[in-house]
């Protein structure tokens, strides 16, 4: 089969398309013929050796997959050969076939096409787990989303509004913020032209924000934290900016605020029952037309490097998809 391979750590241009051996599922594993793979910002880090997990070289990147079941391993009763599914893996999705753990593979709803299904699980799963389970966001609270036009950020904007919060979207361009408004943002901050802390103060009339969703890290994290309300929750989702911020610990003390880690992948694997409940809720909302992933562009497998380059250069709004035919 064909697969994108990372033979050495480096930029997207170092990836190659190669023929590799076909796969065979073990017990509680599913072999899926991949039709679409969604790209996520961690994909740009893992190929450079900058992610918190480093697969053994060589490896195939890609985590968000949708396709058709080719074979099921022992002990699996909820899926069958020929069934359309979507799921997630640690890596391996950018290939014609992938092995998916049975507890991370779900029947694809009929109203979802393959690109939409490959856009769904990681972005919405991460954001819903963050807001519901880790941030305990409640109606009428104020939510600030940094990096709000990206895959997980836009999902957080959409979900935050659906959960009844007032949503402030922060991003680097007016074009990105316009998309955030389409997805429900009540207010916006362009943090390349506006002072983040002062803008939060103005928009919240001095109260501050109750929950901050931060998949970016870097220079804006401390400024955002300084704009937090008393008893606020700061959700650490990722570090797309590349720099891991160092928050002065007097800030959570003075504000009686919490710094809360969000690691959806670990949650999904270690608490699969709770993740299944979250996933069913998200799928119901999608079926009701309440959630709609924004797909920025669709690439062919051989153009994966170009797609990841676009993501690295911060040009993507919403999701990038690689289709596999």
């Amino acid at each position: 089969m064909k697969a994108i391979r990372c033979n050495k750590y480096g930029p997207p241009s170092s990836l190659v398309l190669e023929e590799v051996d076909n796969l065979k599922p073990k017990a509680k594993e599913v072999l899926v013929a991949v039709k679409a793979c969604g790209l996520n910002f961690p994909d740009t880090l893992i190929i450079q050796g900058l992610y918190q997990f480093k697969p053994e070289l060589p490896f195939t990147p890609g985590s968000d997959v949708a396709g058709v079941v080719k074979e099921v391993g022992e002990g699996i009763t909820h899926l069958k050969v020929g069934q359309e599914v979507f799921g997630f893996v640690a890596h391996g999705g950018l290939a014609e076939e992938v092995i998916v753990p049975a507890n991370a593979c779900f029947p694809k709803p009929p109203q979802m096409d393959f690109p939409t299904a490959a856009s769904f699980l990681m972005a919405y799963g991460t954001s819903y787990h963050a807001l519901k389970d880790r941030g305990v966001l409640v109606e009428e609270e104020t939510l600030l989303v940094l990096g709000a036009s990206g895959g997980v950020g836009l999902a957080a904007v959409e979900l935050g509004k659906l959960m009844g919060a007032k949503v402030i979207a922060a991003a680097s361009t007016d074009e990105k913020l316009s998309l955030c408004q389409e997805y429900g943002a009540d207010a916006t901050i362009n943090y390349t032209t506006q002072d983040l802390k002062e803008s939060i103060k103005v928009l919240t009339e001095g109260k501050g924000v109750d929950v901050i969703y931060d998949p970016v890290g870097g220079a804006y994290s401390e400024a955002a934290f300084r704009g937090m309300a008393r008893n606020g929750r700061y959700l650490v989702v990722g570090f797309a900016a590349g720099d891991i911020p160092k928050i002065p610990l007097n800030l959570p003390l003075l504000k009686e605020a919490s710094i809360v880690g969000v690691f959806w992948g670990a949650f999904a694997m270690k608490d699969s029952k709770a993740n299944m409940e979250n996933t069913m809720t998200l799928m119901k909302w999608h079926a009701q037309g309440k959630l709609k992933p924004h797909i920025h562009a669709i690439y062919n497998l051989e153009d994966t490097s170009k797609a990841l380059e676009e993501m690295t250069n911060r040009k993507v709004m919403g999701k990038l998809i690689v289709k596999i035919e």
Side-chain angles (χ1 to χ4, degrees), residues 249-271:
L249 288 181
N250 65 311
L251 293 180
L253 183 153
L254 292 170
K255 293 176 176 292
E256 294 191 289
S258 303
I259 298 175
V260 186
V262 179
F263 188 2
W264 174 75
F267 162 74
M269 298 310 296
K270 295 177 180 179
D271 197 347

Side-chain angles (χ1 to χ4, degrees), residues 21-37:
D21 291 339
N22 290 94
L23 305 172
K24 184 73 175 176
K26 300 176 183 176
K28 297 184 179 181
E29 291 182 342
V30 184
L31 177 64
V32 175
V34 182
K35 298 297 183 182
C37 180

Side-chain angles (χ1 to χ4, degrees), residues 136-190:
V136 198
L137 180 69
V138 298
E139 287 188 27
E140 299 186 3
E141 285 192 315
T142 302
L143 166 68
L144 170 67
V145 181
L146 304 181
S149 67
V152 294
L154 201 59
V157 170
E158 194 175 15
L159 285 167
K161 191 63 180 175
L162 186 56
M163 295 167 72
K166 177 185 177 182
V167 180
I168 301 172
S172 59
T173 71
D174 290 340
E175 181 186 11
K176 292 177 178 179
L177 291 172
S178 178
L179 178 63
C180 295
Q181 288 178 311
E182 291 179 28
Y183 272 71
D186 297 287
T188 62
I189 300 171
N190 183 330

Side-chain angles (χ1 to χ4, degrees), residues 111-268:
Q111 78 273 7
M112 281 187 184
D113 58 18
F114 287 117
T116 300
S119 305
F120 199 79
L121 272 180
M122 293 197 73
Y124 286 100
T126 296
S127 295
Y128 191 48
H129 171 55
L131 299 179
K132 169 181 168 282
D133 303 321
R134 304 298 289 150
V136 198
L137 180 69
V138 298
E139 287 188 27
E140 299 186 3
E141 285 192 315
T142 302
L143 166 68
L144 170 67
V145 181
L146 304 181
S149 67
V152 294
L154 201 59
V157 170
E158 194 175 15
L159 285 167
K161 191 63 180 175
L162 186 56
M163 295 167 72
K166 177 185 177 182
V167 180
I168 301 172
S172 59
T173 71
D174 290 340
E175 181 186 11
K176 292 177 178 179
L177 291 172
S178 178
L179 178 63
C180 295
Q181 288 178 311
E182 291 179 28
Y183 272 71
D186 297 287
T188 62
I189 300 171
N190 183 330
Y191 43 49
T192 59
T193 61
Q194 298 173 266
D195 182 272
L196 181 58
K197 179 186 172 184
E198 186 61 29
S199 297
I200 293 170
K201 184 177 180 180
V202 170
L203 289 172
T204 62
E205 299 180 340
K207 176 182 178 294
V209 293
D210 300 294
V211 176
I212 297 175
Y213 182 99
D214 184 6
V216 180
Y220 298 114
S221 296
E222 183 176 332
F225 201 109
R226 290 181 181 275
M228 178 169 283
R230 182 172 176 268
N231 294 323
R233 290 85 76 199
Y234 194 104
L235 304 177
V236 182
V237 182
F239 311 106
D243 296 324
I244 298 176
K246 296 176 175 60
I247 300 292
L249 288 181
N250 65 311
L251 293 180
L253 183 153
L254 292 170
K255 293 176 176 292
E256 294 191 289
S258 303
I259 298 175
V260 186
V262 179
F263 188 2
W264 174 75
F267 162 74

Side-chain angles (χ1 to χ4, degrees), residues 81-94:
V81 173
Q83 190 168 5
E84 295 182 348
V85 295
F86 65 141
F88 62 94
V89 292
H91 53 85
L94 288 164

